Amino acid sequence: MLILFDVIDLTSLEETYEALRTFDVLGIEKKPDVTATACRLVSETVGSSSSTLKDLFYALKANSIVKCKINDKAYQGIITRLNAAVDGASSLPDFYYSVGGLLLVKGSKGDVHLADADGIFRSVKAFRQSDGRWRFSSNSPESSAFAAGIALETLAGVVSLASPELDQSLISTLNSDISKLFDSIEKYDDGALYFDDKLVDGHDHQGPLATTSSVVRGLTAFAAVTDERLNIPSNKIFGLANFFLGIGVPGDAKDLFNQIDSLACLESNRVSIPLILSLPSTVLSVTKEDSLQVNVNTVLGSNAPPLTVKLVGVFTSGSKAASLVESQELVFDDGTGMYNLNNLPKSIDVGSYTFVFEIVLHEPEHEKIYVTGGQKKVPIFASGLIKIENAEIAVLDSDLGSIETQKKLDLAGQNAVSLSANHLQKLRVSFKLTTPHGLAFKPHQALLKLRHESKVEHIFVVGNSGKQFEIVLNFLGLVEKFFYLSGRYDIELAVGDAVMENSLLRAIGHIELDLPEPPEKATRPPPQPVDPYSRYGPKAEITHIFRAPEKRPPKELSLAFLGLTFLPLLGFLIGLLRLGVNLKNFPSNTVPATFATLFHVSIGAVLSLYVLFWLKLDIFQTLKLLGFLGVILVLVGHRVLSYLAATSAKLKSA
Amino acid sequence: MGKFWVIFVASISILLPFLCNSFSPETPTDRRVLVLLDDLAVKSSHSSYFNSLKLRGFDLDFKLTDDPKIALQRYGQYLYDALILFCPSVERFGGSVDVAAIINFVDSGHDLIIAADVNASDLIREIATECGVDFDEDPSAMVIDHTGYAVSETEGDHTLIASDDFIKSDVIIGSKKIEAPVLFQGIGHSLNPVNSLVLKVLSASPSAYSANPLSKLSTPPSLTGSAISLVSVVQARNNARILITGSLSMFSNRFFRSGVQKSGSSTKYEKSGNEQFLTELSKWIFHERGHLKAVNVKHHKVGETDESALYRINDELEYSVEIYEWSGTSWEPYVTDDVQVQFYMMSPYVLKTLSNDKKGLYSASFKVPDVYGVFQFKVEYQKLGYTSLSLSKQVSYFVSHDSGYNFSFETSLTSYLEETCNRNRSSQKSV
């Protein structure tokens, strides 16, 4: 809870006040630095004439808690400012801050009065609407219960500041307005009452907690200053108290302040002080003989006046039967401050009950001060240990009902029966449940579960007649439901109830079922969920198995064959020598000799191109080069050959 | 005219930070969250949960479900990155929000948290069903557990359950062990068994069942035992994440702060596991954990640095990829030992686990298989709770010239025929 205020920005006076007020009500020691910071903030605001009215108001409110030192001169300045503000006020918040401010100054300085209290009272009252709600200013059309709370608080301030005293008739006219406001109260199912303003456009919606809190603050402030008794049914105040107590601990600092501050207002109000009846424990064990304890406090946990708590009746939940016990008083225990009922009445066995309590105040005049909320119904669970006996499991033959195998079960301990049956037999499970008082007990959960190896489950409710629980599974009628799945079925029995202290879930063992083969159109078992852990995870690695290289002959053999391939070339060269090849016809003149050389070089180039093709070039590159070389070869070859032809013709003619 | 330009430029420059703030794969964390409530009191009664989100930098926008102005998108742009539905009893939403709008929101990669409760409305059930989760059809059913309840002085009907059957996944519920059981009070749901995207994060104990605690049980309950899921999550294929639970109160301040003692156990914990469990889970939902990205996919021959366009038989090749996990603020190296790469043509020829250098770089090297064809490097990484990675990169892959013959028309024809035969054979195999 304190964590909430750690994050509060202590530069906002409103939030500072709310934090201080919450700490104050809850009796939490303030940290010195919080007080110091708050005081610095307060004196800054109070000392400056440029601070807003709202800041001034909250500064004074915070000051009323931390009690900072403010000098008289500053007070005089404030009083002048506030009085001027009251005179010039035209809207409800203006009146609220200025009147509230003056009231706070009066609290610490005394001698502060409103000269024209009557006039101010009337001008504030002008914001009243006929339905009991109020407006924030005369030109805003929307009225709200939130504003009503503020207005009541302002008027209460006017009344206490008035000198001479205000006309009582003026005050009493408000009484009916408050009653009208309470007519618009809204109700939760559990009896809690609250105020809520309908969503209005153009104005920020306050929410039920802030609205209700505002009304409670206004109401209690007003009740404190009026002599008359306000005409509000006390159970409405009780309902409001229930609302604040029922919301739990709000997570928001503002909401927490509203809750705590409202409870503090209700704690000591003059309308009626709610007394709250609560039970520290609503689950009582019959076996352990727990005693019933009841606590009666005011909303913030202060002690209640002398009173008696009566147990009016005990009813079984959900039935309209008469009370199980006589009306009786609870014994007050001074040590714990609780009202006790030692030993639950004998007629209370395990079960869920509704206990009805009533608070009776000892002194009649307290009835006007306190509200007890009438009879209070509390649901109580009386739990106990249930005796389980005669647990048995048996396989029966279908037609005769004769017992084939029967096993005793110890449901308190471990069992591991192993049975087998076919579709013509039956399975019977039976046990007996008795309450501590020896009566029949019917638990909410009495389930028999059969689980097949493939995780298909079948659940049956175990029925009872009196104390005896029995279920007979006729497999012949169940084959279709069992999807014709033969095999091992694990048996589990669950017996449990909210009031059964020894609720159990036991694996009894298994049964081996032999069911007929499924016909073609049999329904298939539903898909079972896949285990998410097995769905993912790394797969087994795959490595490629390479083809084994083909077997090769030994290297020597390959080299020998390589050598053999050169033999024809050798033969060719020898043949050439034998034929007497010579170069005598090679042209001797310069020009033809050049062409002849080029011709041979070109042939060499084409041959080396073939080598290159073999080694690295592809066919397209080779053809491109070959085309180029071919043209040269043809040209050069033609020149050489024509020269040779010309020479030989000359020789012939010569 | 010039005046209009000034206004236009000014408005763009004002809007720009908001426009850039949207969900993006580069910074996958959601920032703007719409919270829909049926009752504004939830804002205060569940403030611890909301505050933990706000402290982590989320911008929560609270709206009542009947607010006529609620909208998930405007002019085709989503206004929020995530949606929290804390409105179990809503019958219809105000504004333009409906089931289809919410499903579209998720389909476009946004996250969702749904908390239902007893008497959950049909609308909430419908949204849950769309996500692959079925709440118990009986409107007044609650999860009851007579042996796994939380011991309480005031709650005697055993619907307040203390569960500690968590999913075994550090990425989803955090690496710190959750010591105390989690309190749950509400309705149970079951998962659609054929839906592989939805996971049970918190399951009920084997003795639990789902029934109306006030009426007699005459027919077997539809949900029993550990099949009951208390909290489930979905990770859609587009990496949108969804949290579904049947208890709104498990997020409440009261449950966060409450002590817990499980029946039958003597250990009493000062504080329930709810806060830790739900906060950690929200980190996963809002992509602060388990969101992976893979960058710099590379492959090359061993000893070279440039990516080769083709490989030859007996080449040693090296494949590498960098994987990072989003931590909420930055991309951190992801360290694990189960990322695998496949060298794939119709079926994987090589499947190898990548080794990592602890800085996010994963690599593996292997010898190219002696089969010709067009191969893919594939990384199909799926792990419980992580976003899945699916990378593939194609490489052509030809014959080595060391093998002794030229790549010529004849050989390419033969290899083509050979490959076609292989393909037909393997596709027949896979059929």
Side-chain angles (χ1 to χ4, degrees):
Chain A
M1 198 182 298
L2 292 173
I3 305 163
L4 288 176
F5 291 105
D6 283 349
V7 288
I8 283 192
D9 154 35
L10 278 175
T11 52
S12 152
L13 273 164
E14 187 175 352
E15 285 179 17
T16 308
Y17 160 69
E18 285 171 0
L20 289 170
R21 169 73 178 160
T22 314
F23 286 140
D24 194 42
V25 173
L26 294 173
I28 297 166
E29 285 291 317
K30 290 169 283 266
K31 291 181 226 151
D33 58 322
V34 175
T35 317
T37 323
C39 268
R40 190 169 42 77
L41 209 57
V42 167
S43 43
E44 269 171 23
T45 317
V46 166
S48 112
S49 56
S50 60
S51 54
T52 62
L53 199 56
K54 185 179 170 186
D55 279 349
L56 190 61
F57 170 69
Y58 281 110
L60 289 168
K61 276 202 129 178
N63 181 44
S64 69
I65 296 168
V66 287
K67 307 266 186 296
C68 310
K69 285 193 189 89
I70 299 176
N71 59 26
D72 287 356
K73 203 177 151 216
Y75 267 126
Q76 283 311 319
I78 297 166
I79 293 169
T80 330
R81 257 197 85 184
L82 289 175
N83 268 318
V86 171
D87 293 337
S90 62
S91 71
L92 189 54
D94 289 351
F95 279 113
Y96 176 64
Y97 295 133
S98 50
V99 172
L102 283 173
L103 192 64
L104 288 160
V105 174
K106 188 186 178 187
S108 40
K109 284 295 289 177
D111 65 342
V112 181
H113 303 290
L114 276 179
D116 180 24
D118 261 20
I120 296 162
F121 197 94
R122 277 177 226 282
S123 31
V124 174
K125 235 188 127 198
F127 300 123
R128 185 183 63 93
Q129 295 289 295
S130 55
D131 61 351
R133 292 167 190 260
W134 296 60
R135 289 179 299 168
F136 274 103
S137 66
S138 48
N139 45 12
S140 89
E142 300 289 348
S143 61
S144 68
F146 185 79
I150 288 178
L152 287 174
E153 209 178 334
T154 314
L155 292 177
V158 175
V159 172
S160 37
L161 286 169
S163 134
E165 284 205 6
L166 273 180
D167 187 3
Q168 274 302 323
S169 61
L170 205 58
I171 302 170
S172 54
T173 52
L174 273 181
N175 226 331
S176 61
D177 290 335
I178 295 173
S179 309
K180 270 184 206 153
L181 181 64
F182 271 76
D183 289 342
S184 68
I185 204 162
E186 291 177 58
K187 190 173 181 182
Y188 275 124
D189 293 339
D190 61 352
L193 300 174
Y194 65 101
F195 290 94
D196 195 8
D197 289 324
K198 294 284 159 287
L199 209 62
V200 266
D201 273 345
H203 204 88
D204 53 348
H205 181 61
Q206 297 286 348
L209 183 57
T211 311
T212 316
S213 177
S214 164
V215 173
V216 166
R217 260 193 295 270
L219 178 76
T220 50
F222 188 72
V225 295
T226 171
D227 298 335
E228 263 182 89
R229 224 188 126 66
L230 289 176
N231 186 19
I232 299 166
S234 55
N235 58 8
K236 291 211 168 160
I237 303 290
F238 193 77
L240 289 172
N242 273 338
F243 170 75
F244 289 114
L245 291 171
I247 54 172
V249 179
D252 181 55
K254 178 114 192 153
D255 288 346
L256 182 67
F257 160 74
N258 278 330
Q259 181 195 27
I260 299 292
D261 189 41
S262 309
L263 287 175
C265 290
L266 289 172
E267 174 86 359
S268 56
N269 71 76
R270 280 192 57 196
V271 187
S272 42
I273 300 172
L275 290 177
I276 305 296
L277 180 144
S278 62
L279 276 77
S281 168
T282 57
V283 184
L284 304 172
S285 170
V286 177
T287 319
K288 289 182 206 144
E289 300 190 335
D290 287 346
S291 61
L292 179 74
Q293 290 185 315
V294 177
N295 215 343
V296 180
N297 290 119
T298 59
V299 283
L300 284 177
S302 310
N303 287 337
L307 53 83
T308 306
V309 177
K310 272 167 83 178
L311 176 62
V312 181
V314 175
F315 303 91
T316 312
S317 297
S319 85
K320 293 199 169 75
S323 171
L324 296 168
V325 295
E326 301 272 298
S327 172
Q328 56 187 301
E329 287 183 5
L330 272 63
V331 187
F332 183 67
D333 179 358
D334 278 324
T336 56
M338 302 252 207
Y339 298 84
N340 292 341
L341 181 68
N342 295 323
N343 302 333
L344 284 172
K346 278 280 166 270
S347 52
I348 305 286
D349 202 347
V350 294
S352 57
Y353 298 95
T354 306
F355 280 46
V356 182
F357 296 98
E358 195 177 42
I359 299 173
V360 181
L361 292 163
H362 286 178
E363 290 172 40
E365 61 263 35
H366 279 165
E367 307 243 343
K368 283 185 188 149
I369 305 172
Y370 295 99
V371 52
T372 60
Q375 290 194 340
K376 170 132 178 154
K377 290 179 182 164
V378 184
I380 300 266
F381 289 93
S383 65
L385 286 170
I386 303 295
K387 211 153 60 170
I388 308 167
E389 293 167 310
N390 298 352
E392 275 177 1
I393 185 163
V395 175
L396 313 174
D397 277 328
S398 187
D399 40 353
L400 300 167
S402 61
I403 294 165
E404 171 139 332
T405 39
Q406 183 165 18
K407 299 244 166 90
K408 286 257 173 230
L409 294 174
D410 172 24
L411 286 180
Q414 296 298 319
N415 299 281
V417 297
S418 136
L419 300 167
S420 63
N422 61 32
H423 66 283
L424 297 173
Q425 291 176 311
K426 293 175 179 172
L427 177 75
R428 186 180 74 190
V429 179
S430 59
F431 52 90
K432 203 168 136 185
L433 298 179
T434 349
T435 66
H437 289 202
L439 300 171
F441 179 70
K442 171 94 180 80
H444 190 247
Q445 179 191 28
L447 302 174
L448 185 74
K449 193 183 272 189
L450 293 184
R451 189 189 299 113
H452 187 249
E453 293 155 297
S454 63
K455 296 203 172 136
V456 179
E457 285 185 343
H458 305 284
I459 297 159
F460 305 92
V461 175
V462 184
N464 71 318
S465 54
K467 292 177 189 174
Q468 186 68 28
F469 279 76
E470 187 180 82
I471 182 166
V472 177
L473 299 180
N474 184 354
F475 292 124
L476 192 57
L478 290 170
V479 274
E480 202 154 322
K481 195 183 169 192
F482 279 27
F483 307 108
Y484 299 90
L485 287 171
S486 298
R488 182 188 156 118
Y489 282 81
D490 289 319
I491 311 170
E492 269 182 10
L493 181 68
V495 180
D497 195 274
V499 294
M500 180 171 170
E501 282 172 17
N502 51 342
S503 296
L504 54 90
L505 171 75
R506 286 278 177 276
I508 297 175
H510 71 268
I511 183 166
E512 203 70 51
L513 272 186
D514 183 17
L515 300 180
E517 285 296 308
E520 271 184 21
K521 281 179 186 164
T523 45
R524 300 183 57 80
Q528 293 301 308
V530 190
D531 177 26
Y533 306 114
S534 64
R535 201 186 295 152
Y536 304 110
K539 296 181 194 127
E541 291 204 357
I542 300 171
T543 38
H544 184 73
I545 300 164
F546 287 85
R547 257 177 299 197
E550 284 160 35
K551 270 203 171 162
R552 298 256 169 100
K555 213 170 184 181
E556 293 76 23
L557 196 65
S558 307
L559 286 174
F561 273 93
L562 180 69
L564 277 179
T565 54
F566 284 102
L567 277 180
L569 181 66
L570 203 67
F572 172 68
L573 290 176
I574 292 171
L576 284 180
L577 287 177
R578 293 287 300 268
L579 285 171
V581 178
N582 56 53
L583 292 170
K584 278 176 193 154
N585 270 352
F586 197 80
S588 49
N589 290 357
T590 331
V591 178
T594 320
F595 280 114
T597 319
L598 278 175
F599 179 65
H600 283 97
V601 168
S602 303
I603 290 177
V606 170
L607 286 176
S608 33
L609 183 65
Y610 283 150
V611 174
L612 282 175
F613 176 50
W614 177 260
L615 288 176
K616 70 195 263 195
L617 295 180
D618 63 30
I619 191 146
F620 301 103
Q621 293 167 310
T622 314
L623 282 176
K624 224 188 293 174
L625 289 172
L626 191 64
F628 178 65
L629 284 175
V631 170
I632 297 176
L633 193 62
V634 166
L635 284 175
V636 181
H638 178 258
R639 292 299 286 270
V640 171
L641 285 174
S642 59
Y643 172 78
L644 285 178
T647 347
S648 63
K650 256 186 223 165
L651 278 175
K652 272 181 194 163
S653 61
Chain B
M1 196 64 200
K3 209 174 178 181
F4 284 113
W5 268 108
V6 171
I7 293 168
F8 178 72
V9 170
S11 60
I12 287 289
S13 59
I14 291 164
L15 282 173
L16 209 58
F18 299 100
L19 296 172
C20 297
N21 207 8
S22 63
F23 185 93
S24 77
E26 275 309 299
T27 52
T29 311
D30 305 330
R31 286 290 151 217
R32 299 159 306 164
V33 183
L34 175 65
V35 185
L36 291 180
L37 311 168
D38 319 288
D39 182 355
L40 275 180
V42 172
K43 189 178 166 186
S44 140
S45 61
H46 291 55
S47 62
S48 295
Y49 186 68
F50 294 135
N51 282 340
S52 83
L53 294 180
K54 277 183 200 153
L55 286 178
R56 297 214 310 272
F58 294 99
D59 178 11
L60 303 187
D61 190 359
F62 294 92
K63 290 269 167 67
L64 280 173
T65 48
D66 53 3
D67 188 334
K69 291 195 209 81
I70 50 175
L72 289 172
Q73 57 173 335
R74 185 181 298 149
Y75 311 130
Q77 291 279 318
Y78 278 103
L79 300 168
Y80 302 98
D81 304 316
L83 176 63
I84 297 181
L85 295 178
F86 276 5
C87 46
S89 60
V90 61
E91 290 295 344
R92 60 181 291 276
F93 293 107
S96 62
V97 179
D98 56 12
V99 177
I102 291 174
I103 298 306
N104 281 335
F105 183 70
V106 173
D107 282 347
S108 50
H110 299 94
D111 304 323
L112 175 64
I113 294 180
I114 304 172
D117 219 329
V118 187
N119 296 323
S121 68
D122 289 343
L123 181 63
I124 290 292
R125 286 164 189 273
E126 198 182 333
I127 298 169
T129 309
E130 292 283 345
C131 303
V133 154
D134 297 304
F135 283 112
D136 193 339
E137 282 173 13
D138 181 354
S140 49
M142 290 180 91
V143 184
I144 306 172
D145 192 340
H146 294 304
T147 55
Y149 60 94
V151 176
S152 156
E153 292 286 313
T154 47
E155 306 250 4
D157 57 0
H158 298 175
T159 54
L160 180 64
I161 287 165
S163 177
D164 49 10
D165 191 359
F166 304 110
I167 193 171
K168 288 170 198 70
S169 166
D170 282 356
V171 65
I172 296 179
I173 56 170
S175 51
K176 192 164 165 264
K177 190 174 180 295
I178 301 171
E179 298 285 343
V182 168
L183 291 173
F184 178 94
Q185 189 165 35
I187 53 176
H189 59 262
S190 61
L191 309 185
N192 187 343
V194 293
N195 186 340
S196 63
L197 302 173
V198 52
L199 297 169
K200 219 187 289 180
V201 178
L202 183 68
S203 20
S205 84
S207 58
Y209 62 108
S210 173
N212 181 353
L214 298 176
S215 71
K216 212 178 117 218
L217 198 62
S218 50
T219 52
S222 54
L223 296 176
T224 57
S226 338
I228 302 179
S229 176
L230 305 178
V231 180
S232 300
V233 294
V234 182
Q235 178 165 274
R237 282 181 225 282
N238 61 4
N239 294 334
R241 288 172 174 176
I242 305 169
L243 168 72
I244 301 167
T245 175
S247 169
L248 177 58
S249 44
M250 75 185 298
F251 294 89
S252 69
N253 297 355
R254 191 160 69 87
F255 280 23
F256 271 30
R257 282 190 287 249
S258 159
V260 60
Q261 182 184 1
K262 198 172 173 172
S263 63
S265 145
S266 55
T267 337
K268 188 161 171 44
Y269 296 94
E270 281 294 301
K271 197 165 170 283
S272 71
N274 288 44
E275 180 163 16
Q276 190 191 347
F277 173 67
L278 291 170
T279 308
E280 290 297 325
L281 199 53
S282 73
K283 287 184 187 165
W284 183 81
I285 292 289
F286 293 139
H287 295 267
E288 284 168 52
R289 250 199 326 255
H291 191 107
L292 303 178
K293 77 163 179 186
V295 289
N296 288 340
V297 181
K298 281 182 194 155
H299 59 90
H300 53 81
K301 281 184 205 158
V302 169
E304 293 180 11
T305 47
D306 294 339
E307 189 168 291
S308 356
L310 58 88
Y311 291 96
R312 295 191 157 108
I313 287 180
N314 293 341
D315 277 354
E316 278 283 338
L317 68 81
E318 195 167 285
Y319 176 86
S320 68
V321 59
E322 286 171 45
I323 303 179
Y324 296 96
E325 183 182 0
W326 181 247
S327 72
T329 45
S330 60
W331 290 101
E332 300 290 336
Y334 174 62
V335 179
T336 186
D337 56 359
D338 54 3
V339 185
Q340 295 179 317
V341 65
Q342 300 176 14
F343 199 55
Y344 190 95
M345 181 174 71
M346 306 304 288
S347 64
Y349 279 74
V350 172
L351 194 153
K352 198 166 185 201
T353 306
L354 297 166
S355 57
N356 73 72
D357 66 347
K358 310 272 178 210
K359 287 180 192 120
L361 179 70
Y362 287 78
S363 60
S365 64
F366 54 89
K367 201 174 189 183
V368 174
D370 51 357
V371 179
Y372 328 123
V374 179
F375 278 78
Q376 282 181 316
F377 289 104
K378 263 189 159 179
V379 173
E380 292 285 344
Y381 186 63
Q382 286 183 323
K383 193 174 180 181
L384 192 66
Y386 286 93
T387 55
S388 54
L389 292 177
S390 178
L391 312 169
S392 64
K393 193 157 190 180
Q394 191 159 310
V395 287
S396 308
Y397 162 50
F398 295 119
V399 197
S400 148
H401 74 259
D402 302 343
S403 60
Y405 40 87
N406 268 321
F407 171 62
S408 61
F409 278 124
E410 302 97 287
T411 49
S412 74
L413 189 67
T414 17
S415 71
Y416 171 75
L417 289 173
E418 215 171 292
E419 194 197 303
T420 321
C421 295
N422 277 342
R423 271 188 193 206
N424 290 343
R425 222 176 298 143
S426 54
S427 56
Q428 274 160 12
K429 234 185 281 167
S430 64
V431 167

